[in-house]
Amino acid sequence: LALASRLRQQIVGLRSERARLERHLLKRRRMLRATFVERHLIAGDGKRKTPAYYLSFLHEGRTVQKYVRLAKVPKVRRRAQAWSEYYHLLARWVKLNQQMADVWRELGQAQADEPARGEND
């Protein structure tokens, strides 16, 4: 009984965490499904005096890097970071749901009686 009570409390906490994550996931945002990359290297072993900026993304199964003009860097960076935030929130949501499923199973086992050998209930 004490184990079942503790598991119920854990489920309540996980549900409130999931609700918090879902509120953040539902927030409207402008995103670019890409990673924002800052590069300091040029061909060979040289270093740039100022960084160059790129968006890295998959296109038809291949990774593509698209140059971002300096004037567009703030907007593009924000939108790529919004995607990163969303993607990490979603990964956390998936893990949390798996954790909840495990605790629900534990709760069921904690509340269930095992049949005794030779008894017919």
Side-chain angles (χ1 to χ4, degrees):
L1 245 57
L3 175 60
S5 178
R6 184 182 59 77
L7 292 170
R8 281 189 202 89
Q9 289 174 352
Q10 190 176 350
I11 289 169
V12 167
L14 291 170
R15 288 174 70 185
S16 68
E17 172 68 10
R18 184 177 65 183
R20 186 188 68 77
L21 283 172
E22 288 173 349
R23 278 192 304 276
H24 287 295
L25 284 165
L26 284 170
K27 186 174 83 170
R28 291 186 68 183
R29 62 189 98 208
R30 301 274 302 165
M31 301 184 284
L32 282 171
R33 192 175 53 222
T35 302
F36 187 81
V37 179
E38 182 177 305
R39 299 193 62 193
H40 294 275
L41 299 176
I42 55 175
D45 291 332
K47 279 209 168 216
R48 298 175 57 94
K49 289 182 182 178
T50 59
Y53 301 99
Y54 297 87
L55 283 177
S56 179
F57 57 96
L58 281 178
H59 179 70
E60 297 177 359
R62 299 186 67 143
T63 300
V64 176
Q65 289 200 342
K66 181 180 174 187
Y67 178 76
V68 178
R69 290 185 178 166
L70 196 56
K72 295 198 177 223
V73 165
K75 181 180 179 181
V76 170
R77 178 185 281 152
R78 250 190 333 271
R79 291 180 68 194
Q81 285 174 337
W83 170 254
S84 177
E85 177 188 321
Y86 182 84
Y87 191 79
H88 286 94
L89 284 169
L90 185 58
R92 175 72 185 118
W93 183 85
V94 168
K95 285 181 185 177
L96 188 66
N97 277 299
Q98 183 59 53
Q99 189 179 359
M100 284 181 71
D102 294 342
V103 177
W104 280 112
R105 281 188 199 89
E106 271 188 78
L107 178 62
Q109 290 174 359
Q111 295 179 118
D113 294 327
E114 289 190 24
R117 293 184 82 192
E119 277 188 32
N120 293 326
D121 278 333

